[in-house]
Amino acid sequence: MLEHFNQILSTKSRPKVLVIGDIILDEYLTGQVGRISPEAPVPVLESTKVVKALGGAANVAANLSALGCEVVLCGVRGDDAAGEDLAELLAIEGIDLSGVFVDKSRPTTHKLRVLAQGQHVLRIDRETTNAVAQEILLKLAGLVEKSIPLFDGVICSDYQKGVLQPDVLEAVFGACKRTNCHAVVDPKGADYLRYRGAYALTPNIGEIEVATGRTIRNDSDLDAAVEEVLECTGAQVLLATEGKAGMTVYGRGQLRERIPTQARDVYDVTGAGDTVTAVLGIGLFGGIPAIAAAQLANCAAGLVVGKLGTATVTRAEMTDFLHDRPARAKKKVVTLDEVCEVRAAYHRNGKRVVFTNGCFDLLHAGHVQYLQQARDEGDLLIVGLNADVSIQKMKGPDRPVVKEADRAVILGALECVDYIVLFEEPTPHHLIEAIVPDILVKGADYQANEVVGKEIVESAGGHLKLLRLVDGRSTSDIVERIRSSGPPRVLDGRP
């Protein structure tokens, strides 16, 4: 699978994908419930954080962008604050908005989820499911017909919010047929005839039941229902997602392959279908077999359900997963750009990023305890590691004792360390400026006003945490004791 993943996302063949469908703003209000309101017998939520994220077709586009694809998004938003938030989030992801039209007659589809102690309490939807204004539908149809020849593939994300009307779908499938371009559809509703012309479909079991009117109790029921859907739509591939049971990929010529779930820690399934559709799409567009594309989609789903809310999967996360490494036993030494990509994904999902830095020469028990405490402060620990040249400037030419490559490997073996970034400057100021962590951690041997990057973190709403160090543990002391003990004693010719 890793070979296939590298093939479809190589620099020379990076897919260019057109995404069209219903654009949604997902918002998460998180907090703690500790008392009952005196006004009514309802819990009082003390809000601690609000996170806004891309949903629906926008989330599909974000997943594609996070995996290195060139993406153009087509859809509709309202002329409102939610629409402005969507546009801003899409711009941050580097997604082309030239196909996103503003319809002043309708609100932006907005889903507000309220979570207490990490559990969903309530969802509030603001939307209309009526068809988008005809003049905008005509513009969309004209745009996709003209644009599709420029793309490697098209993904239609249908949430039944009014964008993917029959005329638009006909324009998509007609243009795909003329240019031999594949269209992958995440379908909804009971009328699958309107998807006739799609190359691949990604429904879940419940959606297949709605489309066929069948009750699916076992594999035989599923096989019969999928055969009906394939006949109805003329699709060549269907990936049926089955929650904890995994997925089954179907195709013409008796293709049927069950793929067991890859999820290790299920935190939130919101948006997982968007990730599946995105990854299956780029696999098929890149020319790899349907089974391999479905296996990649399954791996991506296993990663994304371990994150809060609608989320994306990065290329680095997929590569680590495909190497069959545990969640934090990764290739941990990364570039600043790579770690900023991961940090952005964690921030989108309301998680706290912790940063600390140091030389970590001759790693000892005090270091380990310090790093474990730092990791406990948040959800991701990034360590800025002084490169050899940086340490030499501070401590002299005889330090470090252990070279940077070895120090990085030793740090990376610690479960509590998620990522390591080397820096050659005397201080990690530029790292902190780029990463902007939620929590900056240093040892309590520093005064708060001495900590580099404190102002950067606090101005962004984060805070500094000073941790008490283990008494009697110091690399410099260890080095000095070794040196003062003289040359090693030799007994019977052996050291």
Side-chain angles (χ1 to χ4, degrees):
M1 278 195 294
L2 182 60
E3 180 181 349
H4 282 131
F5 182 69
N6 291 333
Q7 172 190 330
I8 61 177
L9 291 177
S10 65
T11 303
K12 291 182 180 179
S13 61
R14 196 170 68 149
K16 187 175 182 181
V17 184
L18 179 69
V19 178
I20 181 169
D22 299 300
I23 301 172
I24 299 170
L25 177 68
D26 284 325
E27 186 170 0
Y28 299 85
L29 191 157
T30 61
Q32 302 291 319
V33 171
R35 60 193 177 94
I36 301 297
S37 170
E39 302 167 352
V42 295
V44 175
L45 178 81
E46 294 183 8
S47 176
T48 56
K49 182 172 286 190
V50 176
V51 176
K52 296 177 182 179
L54 299 169
N59 189 38
V60 174
N63 272 274
L64 292 166
S65 180
L67 290 168
C69 298
E70 296 181 50
V71 187
V72 175
L73 177 63
C74 292
V76 175
R77 70 171 179 87
D79 185 19
D80 51 21
E84 293 296 329
D85 288 339
L86 265 174
E88 183 178 342
L89 290 171
L90 288 164
I92 291 171
E93 295 292 337
I95 296 167
D96 189 324
L97 306 179
S98 58
V100 177
F101 295 92
V102 177
D103 186 344
K104 296 183 178 182
S105 68
R106 61 194 296 125
T108 300
T109 302
H110 178 206
K111 298 180 181 181
L112 172 63
R113 295 173 176 88
V114 181
L115 293 84
Q117 278 88 357
Q119 301 296 317
H120 285 256
V121 175
L122 177 68
R123 194 180 96 181
I124 303 169
D125 290 1
R126 183 171 183 261
E127 63 182 18
T128 179
T129 57
N130 297 330
V132 170
Q134 187 62 31
E135 61 181 288
I136 293 180
L137 290 177
L138 289 173
K139 290 179 181 178
L140 275 172
L143 178 63
V144 298
E145 280 188 307
K146 180 176 67 175
S147 302
I148 281 175
L150 305 175
F151 291 87
D152 296 303
V154 182
I155 294 180
C156 299
S157 179
D158 193 353
Y159 276 76
Q160 292 197 304
K161 308 301 180 187
V163 170
L164 291 177
Q165 298 299 309
D167 289 349
V168 174
L169 289 169
E170 286 177 15
V172 171
F173 300 142
C176 285
K177 184 176 181 180
R178 290 191 296 273
T179 59
N180 197 30
C181 180
H182 291 334
V184 175
V185 178
D186 187 4
K188 296 289 185 298
D191 181 15
Y192 273 33
L193 274 174
R194 62 203 191 97
Y195 300 128
R196 191 162 187 86
Y199 180 81
L201 303 170
T202 60
N204 60 38
I205 294 293
E207 289 163 349
I208 295 173
E209 288 182 326
V210 170
T212 61
R214 296 172 178 264
T215 300
I216 297 174
R217 303 184 186 87
N218 50 46
D219 287 349
S220 179
D221 291 339
L222 178 59
D223 293 346
V226 168
E227 183 179 353
E228 183 177 328
V229 171
L230 291 174
E231 184 65 27
C232 170
T233 61
Q236 298 299 305
V237 176
L238 186 146
L239 181 60
T241 57
E242 306 172 62
K244 293 180 180 179
M247 306 176 181
T248 304
V249 60
Y250 293 85
R252 301 291 180 173
Q254 305 302 310
L255 170 64
R256 183 189 188 279
E257 183 79 14
R258 170 60 66 83
I259 304 172
T261 182
Q262 291 287 326
R264 290 163 184 175
D265 297 304
V266 178
Y267 190 76
D268 192 343
V269 298
T270 307
D274 300 330
T275 301
V276 168
T277 302
V279 177
L280 178 74
I282 59 175
L284 296 176
F285 304 154
I288 69 173
I291 292 176
Q295 289 171 334
L296 287 173
N298 191 45
C299 289
L303 284 167
V304 83
V305 297
K307 301 181 179 184
L308 171 64
T310 46
T312 60
V313 176
T314 67
R315 292 182 69 168
E317 289 172 325
M318 280 290 288
T319 300
D320 290 336
F321 198 100
L322 293 172
H323 274 117
D324 198 30
R325 298 165 179 155
R328 280 192 281 275
K330 306 173 179 177
K331 173 186 173 291
K332 297 182 179 181
V333 183
V334 294
T335 66
L336 181 55
D337 287 343
E338 288 172 331
V339 85
C340 285
E341 178 186 357
V342 174
R343 179 266 297 153
Y346 270 72
H347 275 183
R348 281 195 300 270
N349 294 295
K351 295 191 177 183
R352 297 170 300 166
V353 174
V354 183
F355 177 89
T356 192
N357 67 280
C359 302
F360 299 103
D361 195 10
L362 292 181
L363 194 71
H364 53 68
H367 288 144
V368 174
Q369 182 172 318
Y370 170 80
L371 291 168
Q372 288 172 335
Q373 290 175 344
R375 181 61 173 77
D376 288 341
E377 293 293 321
D379 303 295
L380 180 83
L381 175 59
I382 300 169
V383 177
L385 180 64
N386 291 77
D388 292 347
V389 64
S390 174
I391 296 176
Q392 287 167 1
K393 290 175 183 177
M394 292 188 298
K395 299 179 180 291
D398 57 346
R399 294 284 301 274
V401 175
V402 180
K403 297 301 181 182
E404 62 189 46
D406 292 338
R407 286 186 285 119
V409 169
I410 295 168
L411 274 179
L414 297 178
E415 179 73 10
C416 57
V417 175
D418 293 292
Y419 290 99
I420 301 157
V421 187
L422 286 157
F423 65 96
E424 297 184 349
E425 298 79 10
T427 76
H429 184 276
H430 79 289
L431 294 187
I432 297 169
E433 193 172 42
I435 296 168
V436 192
D438 301 291
I439 302 140
L440 177 61
V441 170
K442 286 296 287 184
D445 53 336
Y446 281 82
Q447 297 296 316
N449 58 5
E450 297 175 332
V451 178
V452 172
K454 173 178 176 290
E455 296 81 5
I456 296 170
V457 173
E458 290 181 344
S459 65
H463 67 272
L464 170 68
K465 178 74 173 184
L466 298 178
L467 297 179
R468 183 184 174 189
L469 301 178
V470 178
D471 293 336
R473 300 291 190 275
S474 165
T475 299
S476 296
D477 288 346
I478 294 171
V479 171
E480 186 57 35
R481 286 201 302 272
I482 293 171
R483 286 173 175 165
S484 63
S485 65
R489 297 173 59 192
V490 177
L491 300 174
D492 299 328
R494 293 173 294 179

